[in-house]
Amino acid sequence: MKYKNTLIAAREFRKFPTKAEKIMWEALRNRKFLNLKFRRQHIIKGFILDFYCPVLKLGIELDGSVHLREESRSYDQERDFVIKQCGITITRIENSAIEIALPAVLRALEFALKNKPSSTKLERVAEGRVRS
């Protein structure tokens, strides 16, 4: 949702993460995933991304059951459109996938990142030539 004060909302979301967000943050924080720096609850154009990697312009959104509702779907589409206008790629992952099979989710994410057309920047980051 879009909040009047997104900074306060982002801070609250950081203080009280969902189970899936806690699990995913532990996997991403401190450059644990492909030596990439991720931010959590990062604000873009008044919207809050669950996780964001600035060097790849990658947003990761974790979706729980609330995202299955029609009003949430239309909101997510509008939100994704605005964020994509900033050149950010959004990847959506279901909470249950993270809670049940985190290693498989991370492998799939790594495969997708390494096999997308703009993966040369990821390769340079992995080789230590670009700092994220």
Side-chain angles (χ1 to χ4, degrees):
M1 242 181 231
K2 205 167 187 177
Y3 294 87
K4 280 187 176 183
N5 190 328
T6 51
L7 183 59
I8 290 172
R11 286 179 181 156
E12 286 297 306
F13 293 162
R14 278 186 222 115
K15 283 183 193 175
F16 305 105
T18 65
K19 180 180 177 184
E21 288 171 344
K22 283 181 188 177
I23 294 168
M24 190 67 163
W25 181 236
E26 279 307 310
L28 298 176
R29 67 187 306 209
N30 297 326
R31 299 181 185 270
K32 290 180 189 173
F33 180 69
L34 303 177
N35 199 35
L36 294 169
K37 177 159 181 67
F38 281 87
R39 299 175 182 159
R40 63 184 173 138
Q41 306 304 335
H42 184 71
I43 301 168
I44 304 276
K45 296 277 188 176
F47 295 100
I48 302 170
L49 287 169
D50 290 332
F51 302 100
Y52 178 64
C53 176
V55 74
L56 296 180
K57 295 190 97 173
L58 170 69
I60 299 175
E61 281 297 300
L62 307 188
D63 290 344
S65 58
V66 71
H67 293 273
L68 299 175
R69 289 188 267 161
E70 188 55 42
E71 61 272 10
S72 293
R73 283 186 188 167
S74 64
Y75 173 81
D76 286 344
Q77 287 174 345
E78 173 195 340
R79 180 178 178 275
D80 288 358
F81 178 78
V82 170
I83 292 171
K84 286 177 182 177
Q85 296 299 307
C86 298
I88 297 168
T89 302
I90 303 288
T91 298
R92 293 190 164 278
I93 304 170
E94 289 185 26
N95 285 352
S96 58
I98 291 167
E99 292 170 13
I100 294 168
L102 179 66
V105 168
L106 295 175
R107 282 193 304 274
L109 185 57
E110 179 178 2
F111 179 82
L113 290 173
K114 287 184 175 178
N115 290 293
K116 74 181 222 179
S118 61
S119 65
T120 52
K121 190 163 194 173
L122 176 63
E123 291 164 6
R124 290 195 319 257
V125 170
E127 292 169 2
R129 297 190 315 215
V130 173
R131 192 88 172 136
S132 64

